[in-house]
Amino acid sequence: MIPPGETIGILGGGQLGRMIAMAAAQLGYRCHVYAPEADSIAADVCAAFTCAPWDDAEAMARFAADCAVVTYEFENVPVGPLAALGDTPLLAHARALETAQDRLNEKRFVTQLGGTPAPFAPVDSAEDLANAIATIGAPGILKTRRDGYDGKGQWRIMTAEDAAALDLPATPLIYEGFVTFFAEFSVILCRGADGDIRFFDSAHNVHEGGILALSTVPAPADLLAQVPAARELAAKVAEALDYVGVLTLEFFATKDGPVFNEMAPRVHNSGHWTTEGAVTSQFENHVRAICGLPLGGTGLAAKGVEMRNLIGDDAHDWATILADPANHLHLYGKAAARPGRKMGHVTRLILD
Ligand code: AMP
């Protein structure tokens, strides 16, 4: 067990790290952020900041020496340089990172555990793509295997002719069949160091332009009917990875049951509602898990909750948002409100 007062290391400097650090502070921990970018909104609320490239082994070792445990808020942290953490534990384990960093590995892994992703095929050439379309069919989505997020690194392919006209990027890709779904939802669980698993309520997630716009809890009944099967898969993933901390799996709800989309080995945007809407937030439970503390309750703290993301200029409406006393406003402290950038979120509890 890592008692309050110790230092938690966070790899990555964004809003998820910021909210983990705020939850850690509430429990009496100090946090140390490691990130390559100088303008870290997580470091703004932490006791210490190492600004260095991921592969700076000396900086990584010095950072590790200051930390009792290290976690991450960004799943694209390169795994190789993490050897420099030495004896300082990394939670969740690096295997979770390796699995989730590559869409192909992730889908193969989940398939082995009995999950159903969209039909998929690796693509490294125009010929592979033509073959994938011949087997899987069109429409479909071509995605980079690594480093994609919020719909970036994705190309919608309507026909084989579309594909032939595409100038393929020189990076490993995956082609996925287009899933006809009636809703999207996520399963967020927290697994403690002792193997105890708690699930948060599953949010109904609405995306706009590939970016999460709205999460609503409780989800409608037709979607809730798919949650048990999705939870069973998420628990298998957590157990197979000997996972410690918060883990997220995203699903499409289809007429044939839940189709796995992707996993994130970390706290997740679709769980931001838990800060006000659950007995214990995803951030606090992540801290509890990686420090070996008992997990907090994950039940709803209200009848329902709605979380809306503030993207780009939406954040300029903060005064109007605050004028409604039912709103809980979270701004991440980012300097520039670029289009498509997650600047904050607003949570509303439904009390009666
Ligand atoms: P991703 O980055 O893979 O989560 O994709 C972002 C969004 O694009 C998802 O939340 C879906 O709305 C949509 N999407 C991604 N993959 C598929 C698919 N195979 N079929 C249908 N829609 C998809």
Side-chain angles (χ1 to χ4, degrees):
M1 195 199 41
I2 296 165
E6 296 278 352
T7 299
I8 298 170
I10 301 174
L11 299 165
Q15 64 264 21
L16 301 178
R18 181 180 171 101
M19 290 184 272
I20 292 170
M22 282 157 51
Q26 185 190 325
L27 290 173
Y29 293 96
R30 66 193 284 284
C31 288
H32 185 157
V33 164
Y34 188 112
E37 319 78 28
D39 56 341
S40 163
I41 53 167
D44 284 348
V45 302
C46 285
F49 179 28
T50 297
C51 179
W54 294 122
D55 60 359
D56 184 338
E58 228 172 84
M60 186 69 78
R62 250 183 287 119
F63 162 76
D66 184 45
C67 301
V69 62
V70 173
T71 189
Y72 42 87
E73 61 102 53
F74 171 64
E75 74 266 35
N76 292 320
V77 175
V79 173
L82 299 180
L85 293 174
D87 293 338
T88 307
L90 175 71
L91 293 174
H93 305 299
R95 207 179 136 220
L97 271 178
E98 276 169 334
T99 308
Q101 280 178 354
D102 182 330
R103 290 185 190 272
L104 182 64
N105 287 350
E106 177 180 85
K107 286 190 167 62
R108 284 181 172 155
F109 177 71
V110 161
T111 307
Q112 276 166 14
L113 293 175
T116 310
F120 64 93
V123 170
D124 293 309
S125 64
E127 194 188 345
D128 286 350
L129 180 56
N131 289 337
I133 294 171
T135 317
I136 294 170
I141 304 188
L142 185 66
K143 300 180 179 179
T144 55
R145 278 171 55 181
R146 292 180 166 271
D147 295 330
Y149 67 99
D150 287 346
K152 294 187 176 66
Q154 301 194 3
W155 299 265
R156 183 79 70 93
I157 293 187
M158 300 310 289
T159 62
E161 291 71 47
D162 275 2
L166 207 69
D167 198 8
L168 286 190
T171 181
L173 302 162
I174 183 170
Y175 180 75
E176 291 178 21
F178 195 80
V179 178
T180 306
F181 57 81
F182 63 84
E184 293 186 72
F185 69 101
S186 45
V187 170
I188 304 183
L189 64 76
C190 187
R191 186 167 183 270
D194 59 357
D196 179 22
I197 292 183
R198 308 261 173 113
F199 293 97
F200 289 97
D201 280 60
S202 275
H204 173 207
N205 300 325
V206 177
H207 294 79
E208 283 168 15
I211 304 176
L212 181 67
L214 188 71
S215 289
T216 315
V217 177
D222 53 356
L223 203 157
L224 283 181
Q226 309 216 346
V227 170
R231 282 188 175 180
E232 196 183 316
L233 178 65
K236 281 188 191 160
V237 169
E239 267 147 24
L241 295 171
D242 192 18
Y243 198 91
V244 177
V246 167
L247 170 72
T248 306
L249 271 74
E250 291 183 77
F251 292 91
F252 303 121
T254 77
K255 65 175 178 34
D256 302 319
V259 170
F260 167 82
N261 177 25
E262 61 178 353
M263 64 183 258
R266 54 166 170 76
V267 290
H268 195 258
N269 192 172
S270 64
H272 287 1
W273 63 269
T274 60
T275 298
E276 290 85 15
V279 173
T280 313
S281 77
Q282 60 167 348
F283 306 104
E284 179 174 336
N285 258 345
H286 184 70
V287 170
R288 288 182 183 223
I290 63 171
C291 291
L293 309 181
L295 302 183
T298 45
L300 274 178
K303 263 189 115 174
V305 198
E306 184 189 282
M307 188 288 305
R308 189 163 58 85
N309 267 341
L310 299 174
I311 313 282
D313 285 342
D314 294 348
H316 293 147
D317 295 337
W318 59 266
T320 317
I321 293 166
L322 284 175
D324 182 339
N327 284 334
H328 294 270
L329 175 66
H330 298 251
L331 291 176
Y332 306 148
K334 294 184 183 176
R338 287 197 294 275
R341 198 169 193 213
K342 290 175 180 168
M343 302 300 293
H345 66 269
V346 186
T347 313
R348 283 178 78 88
L349 301 187
I350 299 150
L351 297 169
D352 46 38

